[in-house]
């Protein structure tokens, strides 16, 4: 199946020494050398400092869903260069490179599956593809995932990781903020829950649209989440930013997210929450 | 009018300061620099009243961006003064404060009772700074949501005039949930059961503009721009050099004719020869006529059709291909 192919081809982003590239990954925060095998069983969380390493979309699916439960929905929608966008290289060239790197058409993977037996529709952004930027394909796939959930009566979980809207599709990217909202309202009208899981980093147009209109907003520990980037803000106000500014814990204390949940506890958290919100009865 | 020399000097120093920082660090400080730079230009022009010649023929994309920022270009409140016989500005988001960058209230638009949402840049230096050049804080978007609730309750069509470089990128804006406030405003507007007509009257900068830009009919003035990012912002990212903004403007296809071609707007409202700033009265007449025409058309639709039609409009937008 598709996931196995990814794991064979893709390597974790931060590799250890060149002598043992397949065995070790260095924690980007505490610099501890971590066995990849241990890292995988620990949901790609550093066992020493608790840092949550960034995941690609396939890894996220593995960490979140019951083994073997994933059926992919996305893939048919392909990006196109409607604006003939040209900067230092053409948009089609950029796309081709990102597609080769990640093995997917755009920065999104959607499908259905189960979390501890609770059926869900899942959409995962892929930061490895052009910084998880949202263009027409991401918007369309997220809209379709929401509509699929509405049609099939499942809750929706969206995992965000994005630098914001995609510059190369200009105003068309911007419109995806509205498109995703329209589809999520279709889901809301069915009385089905939508939970967003904000991961590092979630900024710009994604923060200002579907990520933050979820019924419940969950964030990963330490994730950078905001509208404007911290450096832009620092230069606008010309003073230093407080410690932990725009991090998940900061947002929790400001009332912007419902919970900061360790990756190793997210399955239990989501299964319980979604079970309750969909009034699933369990035998006492 | 002659600007106070101190204000001009102070602004120039601030712009230089920011430009040096941007150059040194390769960051995109556009949101901070561009409005200040425009203000410097305006003050200089005010001290030296020679008018630049009006461009001949079709302006380039970059020339249009400059027209959208031209000193003396009518602001949202100028249109209200020309077109509305009554306007009761309502203040505050009932949660934190009142944002002077995004204002609104019930008004009579060429005789039609409406709810106005206005991004107001300010007309002189003092009011521009107070209104943060039309860059709203979360409380601005939350006030917009409140006013949209009122519009829905009382069956008032919404007229939203968009004119912003983007939402304000400040520390407190982030603390109070800038992204959350914009997202909520988009959702509220999409769910309205009354007609919504939007006009981009100058700058349509990214999510901060879209927050009040998701109506049944989206119109744009001939020399306004609307994009996911400003040309300076794009140039800083692509070439690490905001002065390449003219190239970025070309790539972004952000002009009114571009947006009409992409299906993002319904109509381009013509401006007086040389730009709206050269004849605000004539510009206002064109805006008034177009908005009223669309309002009349939409007012014949049922509340349900208004909502589903608007949803369908935005559900369609985007460009992709599909493999089977």
């Amino acid at each position: 199946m598709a996931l196995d192919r990814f794991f064979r081809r893709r390597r974790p982003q931060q590799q250890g020494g060149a002598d043992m590239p397949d065995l070790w990954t260095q924690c980007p925060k505490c610099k501890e050398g971590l066995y990849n095998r241990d890292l995988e069983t620990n949901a790609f969380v550093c066992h020493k400092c608790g840092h949550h390493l960034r995941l690609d979309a396939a890894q996220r699916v593995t960490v979140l869903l019951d083994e073997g439960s994933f059926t992919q929905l996305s893939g048919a929608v392909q990006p196109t260069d409607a604006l003939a966008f040209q900067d230092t290289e053409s948009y089609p060239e950029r796309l081709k490179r990102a597609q080769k790197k990640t093995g997917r058409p755009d920065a999104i993977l959607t499908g259905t599956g189960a979390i501890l037996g609770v059926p869900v529709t899942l959409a995962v952004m892929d930061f490895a593809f052009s910084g998880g930027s949202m263009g027409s394909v991401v918007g369309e796939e997220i809209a379709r995932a929401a509509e699929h959930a509405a049609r099939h009566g499942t809750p929706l979980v969206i995992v965000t990781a994005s630098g914001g809207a995609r510059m190369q599709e200009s105003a068309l990217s911007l419109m995806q903020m509205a498109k995703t909202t329209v589809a999520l309202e279709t889901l809301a009208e069915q009385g089905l829950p939508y939970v967003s899981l904000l991961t590092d980093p979630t900024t710009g147009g994604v923060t200002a649209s579907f990520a933050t209109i979820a019924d419940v907003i969950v964030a990963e520990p330490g994730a950078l989440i905001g509208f404007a980037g911290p450096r832009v803000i620092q230069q606008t106000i010309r003073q230093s930013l407080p410690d932990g500014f725009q991090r998940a814990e900061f947002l929790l204390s400001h009332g912007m997210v419902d919970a900061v949940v360790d990756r190793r506890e997210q399955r239990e958290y989501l299964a319980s929450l979604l079970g309750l919100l969909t009034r699933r009865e369990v035998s006492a | 009018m002659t600007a106070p020399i101190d204000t001009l000097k102070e602004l120039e120093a601030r712009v230089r300061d920011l430009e040096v920082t941007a150059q040194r660090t390769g960051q995109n400080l556009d949101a901070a620099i561009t409005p200040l730079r425009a203000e410097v230009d305006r003050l200089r022009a005010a001290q030296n009243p020679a008018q630049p010649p009006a461009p001949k023929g079709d302006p380039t994309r970059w020339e249009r961006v400059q027209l959208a920022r031209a000193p003396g270009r009518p602001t949202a409140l100028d249109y209200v003064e020309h077109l509305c016989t009554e306007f009761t500005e309502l203040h505050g988001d009932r949660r934190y404060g009142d944002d002077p960058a995004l204002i609104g209230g019930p008004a009579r638009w060429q005789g039609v009772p409406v709810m106005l949402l206005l991004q107001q840049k300010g007309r002189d230096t003092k009011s521009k700074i107070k209104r943060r050049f039309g860059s709203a804080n979360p409380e601005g978007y939350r006030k917009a949501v409140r006013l949209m609730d009122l519009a829905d309750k009382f069956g008032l069509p919404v007229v939203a005039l968009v004119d912003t470089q983007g939402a304000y990128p400040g520390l407190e804006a982030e603390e109070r949930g800038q992204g959350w406030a914009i997202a909520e405003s988009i959702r509220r507007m999409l769910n309205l059961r009354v007609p919504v007509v939007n006009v981009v009257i100058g700058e349509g900068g990214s999510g901060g503009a879209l927050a009040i830009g998701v109506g049944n009919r989206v119109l744009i003035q001939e020399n306004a721009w609307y994009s996911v990012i400003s040309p300076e912002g794009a140039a800083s990212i692509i070439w690490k050099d905001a002065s390449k903004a003219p190239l970025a403007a070309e790539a972004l296809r952000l002009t009114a004719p571009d947006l009409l071609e992409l299906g993002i707007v319904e109509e381009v409202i013509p401006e007086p020869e040389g730009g709206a700033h050269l004849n605000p009265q004539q510009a206002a007449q064109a805006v008034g006529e177009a908005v009223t025409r669309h309002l009349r058309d939409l007012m014949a639709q049922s509340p349900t059709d208004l909502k589903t039609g608007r949803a369908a409009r935005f559900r369609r937008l985007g460009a992709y291909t599909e493999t089977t």
Side-chain angles (χ1 to χ4, degrees):
Chain A
M1 98 180 240
L3 285 185
D4 298 333
R5 201 182 70 227
F6 279 111
F7 277 111
R8 273 202 298 277
R9 190 163 60 200
R10 299 222 46 213
R11 304 278 180 245
Q13 287 161 14
Q14 298 91 4
Q15 287 293 333
D19 47 335
M20 290 181 289
D22 291 336
L23 292 176
W24 292 86
T25 297
Q26 192 183 48
C27 173
K29 194 169 180 199
C30 74
K31 309 299 176 200
E32 177 83 350
L34 306 166
Y35 270 120
N36 284 342
R37 206 177 42 204
D38 293 348
L39 204 49
E40 272 189 60
T41 56
N42 204 35
F44 301 91
V45 175
C46 173
H47 65 73
K48 191 176 174 215
C49 74
H51 178 71
H52 285 49
L53 279 74
R54 284 181 182 173
L55 303 184
D56 65 34
Q59 289 169 325
R60 178 68 63 179
V61 167
T62 310
V63 164
L64 219 45
L65 294 186
D66 298 346
E67 203 177 339
S69 72
F70 183 67
T71 305
Q72 188 167 330
L73 292 170
S74 62
V77 183
Q78 304 278 333
T80 180
D81 182 22
L83 274 62
F85 196 96
Q86 179 73 40
D87 51 86
T88 50
E89 80 182 302
S90 75
Y91 183 38
E93 283 162 15
R94 278 182 199 281
L95 284 172
K96 210 174 289 173
R97 207 149 33 83
Q99 286 166 341
K100 199 171 167 198
K101 178 180 164 198
T102 60
R104 56 185 88 261
D106 211 304
I108 184 80
L109 174 65
T110 73
T112 58
I115 302 175
L116 297 176
V118 179
V120 296
T121 303
L122 177 71
V124 180
M125 302 190 81
D126 199 338
F127 192 74
F129 191 111
S130 181
S133 59
M134 172 165 66
S136 297
V137 174
V138 170
E140 180 65 22
E141 290 286 16
I142 283 180
R144 289 186 186 191
E147 287 156 357
H148 181 92
R151 238 182 357 261
H152 295 268
T154 78
L156 175 70
V157 176
I158 301 181
V159 185
T160 63
S162 174
R166 186 172 296 167
M167 184 171 63
Q168 289 84 357
E169 293 182 31
S170 196
L172 290 169
S173 297
L174 189 63
M175 296 302 133
Q176 305 311 307
M177 294 169 65
K179 173 186 275 194
T180 51
T181 305
V182 166
L184 288 168
E185 287 302 287
T186 305
L187 181 72
E189 280 160 15
Q190 300 297 312
L192 292 161
Y194 158 40
V195 176
S196 64
L197 173 58
L198 315 184
T199 75
D200 188 57
T202 297
T203 60
V206 170
T207 302
S209 63
F210 63 85
T212 53
I213 53 166
D215 299 308
V216 177
I217 306 174
V218 183
E220 274 201 340
L224 177 80
I225 301 158
F227 180 63
R231 286 184 307 179
V232 174
I233 296 164
Q234 193 160 12
Q235 293 310 319
T236 307
I237 62 167
R238 297 203 292 178
Q239 63 193 57
S240 58
L241 300 170
D243 276 350
F245 180 65
Q246 291 185 316
R247 297 289 168 184
E249 298 74 12
F250 172 94
L251 292 164
L252 182 68
S253 73
H254 282 82
M256 292 298 152
V257 301
D258 289 283
V260 176
V261 181
D262 188 297
R263 193 180 287 158
R264 292 159 293 190
E265 293 157 15
Q266 285 168 3
R267 280 165 50 78
E268 287 75 11
Y269 180 94
L270 290 171
S272 164
L273 175 70
L274 294 174
L276 291 169
L277 294 180
T278 54
R279 303 187 303 278
R280 268 166 82 97
E281 302 251 349
V282 293
S283 43
Chain B
M1 165 200 118
T2 303
I5 299 294
D6 286 353
T7 312
L8 179 56
K9 277 187 178 159
E10 200 181 303
L11 284 172
E12 284 174 330
R14 178 87 194 271
V15 168
R16 268 197 308 276
D17 190 15
L18 287 169
E19 281 171 343
V20 167
T21 311
Q23 193 102 47
R24 186 162 43 80
T25 60
Q27 298 170 29
N28 166 20
L29 303 183
D30 167 47
I33 295 173
T34 322
L36 291 173
R37 197 185 281 139
E39 185 59 9
V40 166
D41 290 346
R42 197 191 66 80
L43 290 178
R44 280 195 193 127
Q47 287 181 343
N48 175 17
Q51 283 284 343
K56 293 273 181 279
D58 267 3
T60 64
R61 291 189 172 91
W62 179 242
E63 282 166 351
R64 285 198 201 273
V65 170
Q66 288 170 309
L67 286 170
R69 298 168 176 167
R73 185 174 180 90
T75 64
L77 278 175
D78 293 314
Y79 288 105
V80 173
E81 279 173 17
H82 277 107
L83 299 165
C84 298
T85 46
E86 301 157 57
F87 170 44
T88 305
E89 185 181 348
L90 302 179
H91 292 274
D93 69 345
R94 303 291 186 271
R95 284 166 171 79
Y96 176 81
D98 184 43
D99 190 349
L102 206 174
I103 62 176
R108 197 173 293 279
W109 179 282
Q110 295 192 323
V112 184
V114 298
M115 181 65 78
L116 291 179
L117 299 176
L118 312 167
Q119 284 171 334
Q120 179 60 22
K121 282 185 165 177
R123 292 153 160 163
D124 52 44
T125 304
K126 203 176 150 196
S127 72
K128 281 178 186 181
I129 289 167
K130 181 186 108 178
R131 295 183 189 277
R132 294 184 309 280
F133 301 86
S135 287
N137 268 332
E139 51 272 23
Y141 296 111
R142 291 184 176 125
K143 175 169 61 183
V145 168
R146 203 191 124 224
L147 298 183
M148 287 190 270
D149 286 342
L150 292 181
D152 222 27
K153 180 173 180 180
F154 299 113
L156 290 171
V158 171
V159 175
L161 303 185
V162 174
D163 193 10
T164 184
Q165 292 239 331
Y168 191 69
L171 180 145
E172 294 183 340
E174 294 292 318
E175 286 180 334
R176 296 199 290 275
Q178 186 70 285
W180 283 249
I182 293 170
E184 214 40 78
S185 185
I186 292 170
R187 169 155 74 178
R188 188 67 192 92
M189 191 171 268
L190 286 169
N191 283 328
L192 284 172
R193 294 167 62 82
V194 292
V196 182
V197 177
N198 318 79
V199 190
V200 184
I201 59 166
E203 303 190 84
S206 193
L210 185 79
I212 60 160
V214 291
N216 298 81
R217 305 282 164 81
V218 182
L219 319 178
I220 185 167
Q221 279 185 295
E222 195 179 340
N223 296 311
W225 65 265
Y226 193 13
S227 165
V228 72
I229 187 168
S230 69
E232 288 84 357
S236 312
I237 292 172
I238 299 168
W239 295 285
K240 312 277 174 227
D241 180 1
S243 72
K244 295 224 164 57
L247 286 175
E250 286 299 313
L252 287 167
R253 305 208 171 200
L254 41 55
T255 67
D258 292 325
L259 294 162
L260 187 67
E261 200 182 309
L262 290 167
I264 285 166
V265 300
E266 269 77 17
E267 184 175 326
V268 176
I269 303 173
E271 289 186 26
E273 184 71 39
H277 60 296
L278 297 182
N279 191 342
Q281 172 78 32
Q282 194 188 331
Q285 281 315 310
V287 168
E289 182 279 318
V291 170
T292 305
R293 175 163 39 82
H294 285 285
L295 278 178
R296 294 275 179 214
D297 186 26
L298 292 167
M299 283 158 72
Q301 295 185 21
S302 74
T304 306
D305 286 352
L306 287 167
K307 189 187 154 189
T308 55
R310 191 185 309 120
R313 180 194 191 281
F314 286 94
R315 179 63 187 83
R316 266 194 309 271
L317 287 177
Y320 55 85
T321 60
E322 192 149 14
T323 56
T324 45

